[in-house]
Amino acid sequence: MAKARFSRIGFILAAAGAAVGLGNIWKFPYITGMYGGGAFVSIYLITVVLIGFSLLAGEMLVGYKGGKDAVSSFEIVAPEGKKGWKYAGFMLFSGLIIMTFYSVVIGWIFHYIYLSLTNSLPTDINQAKETFDNLVQFSPVTATLWHFLATVFVAVVLLGGVKAGIEKANLILMPLLLVILVGLLGYAMSFDGFSKALHFMFAPDWSKINSEAIVRAVGHAFFTLSIGIGTMVTYAASMSHKQSVFKAAMWVTILDTLIALIAGVMIYSFIFEYGASAAQGPGLVFKTLPIVLTKMGTTGIVISIVFFLALAFAGLTSAISLTEPAVEYFMQRFHFSRVKSVVLNTSLYFIVGIGAILSYTKEYGKTFSIGDKPLFDALEFSTDSILLPLGGLAIAIFVGYVLKEQDREHIIKHQVNHTIYKIWLFSLKFVAPAAIIFMMLNNFGIIKI
Ligand code: TRP
């Protein structure tokens, strides 16, 4: 049977669906708020263009040429004598680790869709805190049920495979997401808060930037483009060979960045219109936004339903992409059926995810912790600060140094002009490794500026 491949638009939407996720709509706005706005956004944008894009195209190249799961693709693409590089493909397990908490957060979003539908969103800051803490610290059973629902959704789509599952889900959910976000942005444009939001997001105040802000911006650029766990290797393995890797990577980068910026401006328009503060941290969309929206009466409730739905769509298409690399791996290396592989992998992260949920509860927090970190935070830290940068570094070195020039050329060079090819290679060889090493040293407190 011929292998099922994405259509061109199917591949771009699936890869963009992987990239656009909670990172864009939940995390990007709140870290922008934490680090003071415009200057942080500028660093993030520069990193995306100079480093993120190059790594994204590099990761896609490995899949395009390898045509298999991440481990096999690295093995196939590596030159003779360097086949040990297949172990770089083990980065796919980081996807399962991310899923242990990512799925829990999608569960929280489901809970907020439910609260919006039943008109029980909080109306002031104390209530907002109470509602969120109630879910996260005191209701592990509720949180687990929502986490289960998120897991089932992901499993069902993955059971459909590349074409009937992944491509189809993205063809439906991604346009819906875009329409919702642009609609909300259009509505927010009528606010006085809109110009304040634009100013906050795009007028850089460089005095707010320190090394921590830079590191967070670089780390976020990787996370948001879905680099470093083999998602893009796995998806690109099923892309049509009539399609340009370089152009596809460009589209994905543009869509991902655009959606993060739209989400940021839209959310901050609401926040500033009602005089709330930008520096709220992770509670921004779960605590602050609902209060703002409930002030708007019925319109606000409709907006909150639509907004949390969009957030759920974004999260689910990314969740699918975080799990598929492991699913393909077990299918191709161990000849599992798709059903068996999907059930195994989703069950794995579902179970560990329960530990993550319990680690935030008052009752079991102590039991489910590693050092002084709740399991949830430890899982997040290990991926964000260690595994993703390592994955990114592996890709930069592999594509920049290990791969034969003719292989790189064969794919990338005839797709772009010579100067752009040189810039891309320079970024992979020098800029990306330097930035990643700086970031890792900083995360471990070895260098501070
Ligand atoms: N990029 C997604 C987000 O912004 C998350 C994600 C999906 C991801 N696949 C990934 C992150 C692969 C790193 C690697 O939410």
Side-chain angles (χ1 to χ4, degrees), residues 188-189 191-201 265 269 272-273:
M189 277 180 175
F191 294 170
D192 293 335
F194 180 69
S195 59
K196 286 191 200 140
L198 284 181
H199 184 81
F200 177 70
M201 298 267 305
V265 171
S269 302
F272 292 145
E273 181 74 6

Side-chain angles (χ1 to χ4, degrees), residues 15-28 59 91 94-95 98-99 102 220-232 235 256 314-315 317-323 325 383-384 388:
V20 177
L22 306 180
N24 301 60
I25 308 179
W26 167 59
K27 198 163 174 189
F28 175 69
E59 207 182 307
M91 65 173 72
S94 314
I98 295 177
M99 276 311 288
Y102 206 86
H220 185 67
F222 286 12
F223 186 82
T224 189
L225 288 176
S226 300
I227 293 161
I229 73 137
T231 284
M232 294 300 172
Y235 275 15
D256 183 68
T317 51
S318 294
I320 291 163
S321 81
L322 284 158
T323 317
T383 46
D384 255 18
L388 288 187

